[in-house]
């Protein structure tokens, strides 16, 4: 298999990481859901991840970290936006690949996202379960399909594929101005209706999970 063929076969991973980045962008458009800046995005054969500046819901096993997570989950709107960020990677990928969400979420690529959610569940300030999370994922998927978001990401994915082919070891890091240039493309992908419907989903699940 040539390098170009390997990059083509890994397009789903590109969609996956862009899904996480897109969810951060969406959350940061509203003060109630703001997750903070993304430090960098890494895509390629060696590493694939989105690195946030603020780790609001990630913790080690210390009591201090547990209390931090519990305090942060008191902001239910933002916490649901973070749920969406976790499931957005696999949602983007599985829409593109036309496979079931669970194939990714409980597989190798989704294990970190699934693990993040599992870890904070027992320390959350409100009760929620994975049945609700799968319903949330289903509503997110419908929203993305309705607004043809995956199709609109194709030029951006093709741009990254080209850069990967030209790069050393087929690995890219986007940070600072390069990251801003990347996320600026999101402004042309969404409209006010999409943003409003995204916030409607958060409001819906706030009522469900906080009841």
């Amino acid at each position: 298999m040539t390098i170009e063929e390997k990059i083509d076969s890994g397009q789903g991973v590109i969609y996956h990481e862009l899904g996480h980045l897109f969810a951060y962008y969406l959350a940061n458009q509203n003060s109630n859901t703001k997750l903070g800046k993304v430090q960098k995005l890494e895509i390629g054969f060696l590493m694939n991840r989105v690195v946030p500046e603020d780790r609001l819901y990630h913790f080690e096993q210390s009591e201090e970290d547990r209390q931090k997570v519990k305090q942060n989950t008191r902001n239910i709107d933002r916490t649901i936006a973070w749920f969406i960020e976790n499931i957005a990677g696999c949602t983007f990928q599985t829409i593109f690949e036309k496979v079931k969400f669970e194939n990714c979420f409980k597989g190798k690529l989704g294990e970190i996202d699934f693990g993040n959610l599992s870890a904070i569940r027992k320390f959350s300030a409100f009760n929620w379960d994975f049945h609700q999370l799968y319903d949330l994922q289903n509503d997110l998927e419908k929203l993305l399909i309705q607004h043809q978001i995956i199709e609109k990401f194709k030029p951006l994915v093709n741009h990254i594929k080209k850069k990967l082919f030209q790069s050393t070891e087929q690995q890219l890091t986007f940070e600072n101005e390069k990251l801003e240039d990347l996320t600026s493309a999101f402004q042309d992908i969404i409209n006010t209706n999409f943003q409003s419907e995204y916030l409607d989903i958060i409001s819906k699940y706030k009522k469900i999970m906080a009841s």
Side-chain angles (χ1 to χ4, degrees):
M1 185 181 289
T2 66
I3 295 297
E4 194 167 12
E5 288 171 336
K6 286 182 179 179
I7 292 171
D8 278 338
S9 68
Q11 285 184 87
V13 179
I14 300 175
Y15 278 98
H16 185 114
E17 298 308 328
L18 287 178
H20 286 305
L21 186 65
F22 185 59
Y24 270 105
Y25 175 84
L26 286 175
N28 288 339
Q29 301 311 298
N30 184 278
S31 59
N32 289 338
T33 59
K34 191 171 183 178
L35 292 170
K37 291 183 179 180
V38 171
Q39 183 180 13
K40 63 182 174 181
L41 165 69
E42 294 180 293
I43 292 179
F45 290 2
L46 303 175
M47 178 68 70
N48 293 282
R49 62 177 181 169
V50 173
V51 181
E53 286 190 358
D54 299 319
R55 297 175 64 82
L56 298 170
Y57 302 99
H58 298 82
F59 64 98
E60 302 298 332
Q61 294 301 317
S62 72
E63 181 60 29
E64 182 181 354
D65 281 340
R66 292 170 184 171
Q67 290 303 316
K68 180 194 73 174
V69 166
K70 188 167 186 177
Q71 180 61 37
N72 285 337
T73 57
R74 295 187 191 283
N75 182 333
I76 300 176
D77 298 83
R78 186 183 62 195
T79 303
I80 295 173
W82 181 75
F83 290 169
I84 290 173
E85 183 274 316
N86 272 266
I87 61 179
C90 279
T91 302
F92 264 62
Q93 182 176 350
T94 53
I95 293 173
F96 170 72
E97 294 179 344
K98 296 181 172 62
V99 298
K100 291 182 179 180
F101 172 76
E102 290 85 351
N103 290 6
C104 172
F105 195 51
K106 292 189 176 180
K108 185 176 180 181
L109 279 171
E111 64 183 356
I112 293 177
D113 304 322
F114 181 81
N116 285 341
L117 290 161
S118 298
I120 78 149
R121 186 182 167 202
K122 59 184 175 182
F123 304 119
S124 177
F126 61 96
N127 293 321
W128 59 274
D129 59 47
F130 274 90
H131 293 293
Q132 295 166 337
L133 198 71
Y134 283 123
D135 289 342
L136 173 62
Q137 187 278 326
N138 189 51
D139 282 350
L140 174 64
E141 184 173 316
K142 288 178 181 177
L143 177 66
L144 295 173
I145 291 172
Q146 178 187 344
H147 287 269
Q148 299 180 313
I149 298 300
I150 306 306
E151 290 86 348
K152 292 175 182 177
F153 264 77
K154 187 175 180 179
L156 195 55
V157 171
N158 286 338
H159 170 73
I160 290 174
K161 285 168 57 182
K162 182 179 179 180
K163 292 291 185 182
L164 275 173
F165 183 74
Q166 296 170 343
S167 68
T168 303
E169 298 183 319
Q170 283 63 61
Q171 185 67 38
L172 298 173
T173 298
F174 296 90
E175 50 190 341
N176 302 321
E177 292 83 4
K178 289 183 179 179
L179 187 60
E180 289 179 11
D181 288 343
L182 196 63
T183 55
S184 67
F186 296 164
Q187 297 174 20
D188 299 323
I189 290 173
I190 64 171
N191 54 35
T192 53
N193 285 340
F194 180 91
Q195 185 71 28
S196 176
E197 290 171 42
Y198 162 79
L199 293 174
D200 286 344
I201 289 175
I202 290 176
S203 295
K204 174 183 175 179
Y205 284 89
K206 180 179 181 179
K207 291 177 182 177
I208 291 171
M209 293 177 174
S211 61

